[in-house]
Amino acid sequence: MQVSDEQRAEYFEFASSVLGERFEHGPLTKCLSSLSDDGEILGVVLYNRFTGRDCMIHVASNESRRWISREMLFWTFWVPFEQYGLARITGLVREDNAEALRFDRSLGFVEEGRVRQAFDGGYDGILFGMLREECRFLNMKLLKRG
């Protein structure tokens, strides 16, 4: 498995189709991708709505657990906290997505509130945040890219 920081259109198309929201590369939207050894897209992490202190983070996967690795976890958090120097990241999860809620909590995100009717169908969104100092993945022993 490999992690790519290329900003290829197909990565944004994959995430858009999984998440049901249109994402396109630009100055305020970036991505990381988890790829199989033969180049299949396993998962995409998107960052957008940068404020200087914060950004939104979105995760789209092929519904397997193959997309997540120690390397992908490291880079997922290194990008906003180290590359962009942000103090926090924010995520919004649909209230009925039990697997995503469990996943965010297991990563160390803290539930911060509820955004009423944030999703189609009138579903609320559960707002999650993580501060840089709360992120346990930045201390992982991985070789940083040159």
Side-chain angles (χ1 to χ4, degrees):
M1 182 174 19
Q2 56 186 316
V3 176
S4 173
D5 61 357
E6 289 184 82
Q7 305 299 299
R8 297 175 61 173
E10 58 262 35
Y11 302 155
F12 291 91
E13 290 166 7
F14 174 88
S16 295
S17 70
V18 169
L19 297 173
E21 183 178 341
R22 185 73 190 140
F23 294 97
E24 293 180 3
H25 174 251
L28 298 179
T29 304
K30 305 294 180 189
C31 78
L32 279 179
S33 300
S34 176
L35 307 171
S36 68
D37 291 334
D38 64 359
E40 174 192 359
I41 301 170
L42 303 174
V44 175
V45 176
L46 291 157
Y47 309 93
N48 69 352
R49 300 182 185 163
F50 288 86
T51 68
R53 289 194 50 78
D54 184 25
C55 76
M56 292 293 294
I57 185 170
H58 313 269
V59 175
S61 79
N62 66 355
E63 296 189 16
S64 77
R65 297 202 186 273
R66 289 180 37 219
W67 76 274
I68 198 71
S69 65
R70 288 177 52 85
E71 183 181 14
M72 186 66 177
L73 283 170
F74 174 81
W75 290 111
T76 293
F77 296 100
W78 188 89
V79 166
F81 292 129
E82 297 296 330
Q83 181 177 345
Y84 293 115
L86 301 178
R88 60 169 287 131
I89 53 178
T90 302
L92 188 64
V93 177
R94 202 168 111 160
E95 66 183 332
D96 65 337
N97 190 340
E99 187 171 339
L101 293 167
R102 189 171 35 259
F103 179 67
D104 280 14
R105 289 180 178 115
S106 75
L107 293 176
F109 281 90
V110 175
E111 187 173 329
E112 296 181 333
R114 179 175 291 267
V115 181
R116 297 177 299 148
Q117 298 184 18
F119 292 94
D120 288 342
Y123 289 96
D124 289 358
I126 307 301
L127 187 68
F128 285 94
M130 180 186 290
L131 303 177
R132 185 194 189 290
E133 59 267 19
E134 296 169 337
C135 183
R136 68 182 187 268
F137 300 103
L138 297 178
N139 296 323
M140 294 174 79
K141 302 288 186 225
L142 291 177
L143 294 176
K144 293 189 174 89
R145 294 180 187 176

